[in-house]
């Protein structure tokens, strides 16, 4: 037996809760931006985040509603995606607070920043990875806006690499699940993709 849900017959908020409970786990883009005047640094987590293209390298995050991250990215054409590790769990959650527009999350939460190399928005100093992006485009979809950013610089801490490559056991990514649940990296399985030639050979 299955339970059927009709999004057209449901309150959008109720169907949002269903979607975020079943599209899991979701990686978190911890997005830093600066205001149009360049004085206020904003930092917010966005759990609708993924790679959009590899050549050129483009990442995307979705702003549900018109949030500061979206407004600032549109105004300045720049943003940084900071990696969200388990060790910064409480700070990441705190930057999701609905602070007034004139309050910067770096200062309000007490998060140390560091300068970026190619863009103006600062990076989170304690985050092991930063993807510096210039705005490629935005796509408005109903109540949300998808933000596409071309990665112009990547900075990875040596502490999370093994033989020069980021290692999942050291990165320890934090992810979002349903309700107020967060996902941790408790175990990893490794399995290579099967080539069709090998599949035929097995038959």
């Amino acid at each position: 037996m299955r339970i059927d849900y009709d999004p057209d017959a449901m309150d959008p908020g109720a169907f949002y809760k269903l979607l975020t409970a079943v599209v899991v786990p979701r990686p978190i883009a911890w997005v830093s931006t600066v205001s149009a005047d360049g004085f206020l640094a904003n930092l917010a987590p966005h759990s609708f985040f993924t790679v959009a293209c590899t050549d050129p390298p483009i990442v995307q995050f979705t702003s549900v509603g018109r949030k500061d991250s979206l407004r600032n990215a549109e105004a300045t054409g720049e943003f940084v995606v900071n990696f969200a590790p388990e060790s910064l769990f409480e700070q990441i959650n705190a930057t999701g607070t609905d602070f007034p527009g004139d309050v910067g999350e770096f200062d309000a939460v007490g998060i140390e920043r560091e300068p970026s190399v190619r863009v103006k928005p600062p990076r989170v100093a304690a985050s092991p990875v930063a993807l510096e992006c210039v705005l490629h485009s935005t796509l408005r979809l109903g109540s949300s806006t998808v933000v596409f950013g071309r990665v112009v610089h990547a900075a990875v801490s040596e502490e999370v690499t093994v033989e020069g490559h980021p290692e999942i056991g050291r990165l320890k990514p934090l992810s979002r699940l349903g309700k107020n649940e967060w996902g941790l990296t408790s175990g990893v399985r490794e399995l290579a993709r099967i080539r069709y030639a090998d599949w035929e050979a097995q038959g």
Side-chain angles (χ1 to χ4, degrees):
M1 294 290 293
R2 295 178 184 261
I3 301 174
D4 295 315
Y5 298 88
D6 182 353
D8 292 332
M10 295 175 62
D11 176 79
F15 202 76
Y16 168 87
K17 290 181 179 179
L18 174 66
L19 279 178
T20 55
V22 298
V23 182
V24 291
R26 298 187 307 281
I28 299 167
W30 204 11
V31 179
S32 54
T33 57
V34 293
S35 57
D37 59 17
F39 289 108
L40 191 65
N42 175 263
L43 181 64
H46 295 268
S47 69
F48 296 168
F49 165 59
T50 191
V51 176
C53 183
T54 59
D55 185 16
I58 295 174
V59 295
Q60 69 179 71
F61 73 91
T62 298
S63 175
V64 179
R66 289 195 58 79
K67 298 180 178 176
D68 290 338
S69 300
L70 169 61
R71 286 191 290 265
N72 291 345
E74 288 178 332
T76 67
E78 298 179 336
F79 63 91
V80 177
V81 174
N82 301 276
F83 187 88
E86 294 177 6
S87 60
L88 299 178
F89 172 42
E90 293 186 356
Q91 294 95 320
I92 293 165
N93 184 58
T95 58
T97 301
D98 56 344
F99 291 108
D102 59 350
V103 174
E105 287 78 5
F106 277 97
D107 295 331
V109 179
I111 296 174
E112 183 180 355
R113 68 188 83 183
E114 67 180 20
S116 294
V117 173
R118 297 281 303 277
V119 298
K120 189 168 184 178
R123 307 189 305 216
V124 174
S127 173
V129 182
L131 302 177
E132 300 179 16
C133 303
V134 295
L135 184 66
H136 175 276
S137 58
T138 61
L139 176 63
R140 181 71 180 269
L141 297 169
S143 63
S144 301
T145 302
V146 186
V147 181
F148 297 93
R150 181 167 59 87
V151 181
V152 294
H153 184 78
V156 182
S157 170
E158 290 182 351
E159 295 179 356
V160 298
T161 63
V162 175
E163 297 181 352
H165 192 272
E167 172 65 35
I168 191 70
R170 296 187 179 188
L171 285 168
K172 295 186 181 297
L174 187 66
S175 63
R176 278 308 311 264
L177 306 175
K179 300 183 287 188
N180 289 321
E181 301 161 336
W182 300 71
L184 308 177
T185 308
S186 57
V188 177
R189 293 182 60 185
E190 186 171 343
L191 182 64
R193 185 174 297 180
I194 302 171
R195 298 185 309 139
Y196 182 63
D198 295 334
W199 184 275
E200 283 193 309
Q202 291 176 1

